[in-house]
Amino acid sequence: MSGLAERLRRALLAHPDGARVVSAAQLSRAMAAISELAMSTLVARGVSLHQDRVIVLTVERFTVGHVLEEQAPAQPPRR
């Protein structure tokens, strides 16, 4: 799953506001295909469908959220 997160992070960072666009968009065919491939891989390794769905959604959402923070404009320090 770390490979999925790394590739997703690189793809999001390759575009200005990539994470913001993905987080605000409806599920795209590309993201659906990525999720399906990741879930299929986990099922093939014996992970239950319920568990793999939770794992994949967690990894995808955490990664998008992390990149949202990385791409956010710098905030001035609070006084």
Side-chain angles (χ1 to χ4, degrees), residues 5-15 18-19 34 67 71:
E6 290 169 14
R7 288 190 304 272
L8 178 57
R9 180 177 173 270
R10 279 195 306 269
L12 295 170
L13 288 172
H15 304 280
I34 291 167
V67 176
Q71 290 181 327

Side-chain angles (χ1 to χ4, degrees), residues 67-75:
V67 176
L68 277 168
E69 290 297 317
E70 287 184 288
Q71 290 181 327
Q75 298 293 319

Side-chain angles (χ1 to χ4, degrees), residues 5-50:
E6 290 169 14
R7 288 190 304 272
L8 178 57
R9 180 177 173 270
R10 279 195 306 269
L12 295 170
L13 288 172
H15 304 280
D17 294 326
R20 186 183 58 78
V21 171
V22 168
S23 69
Q26 297 294 324
L27 182 64
S28 69
R29 287 182 189 218
M31 280 303 295
I34 291 167
S35 297
E36 187 175 321
L37 177 60
M39 286 190 275
S40 297
T41 301
L42 290 172
V43 167
R45 294 183 178 179
V47 179
S48 74
L49 183 58
H50 173 75

Side-chain angles (χ1 to χ4, degrees), residues 47-63:
V47 179
S48 74
L49 183 58
H50 173 75
Q51 280 184 307
D52 74 21
R53 194 172 324 137
V54 170
I55 292 167
V56 170
L57 287 174
T58 300
V59 169
E60 289 173 350
R61 290 179 183 176
F62 176 85
T63 304

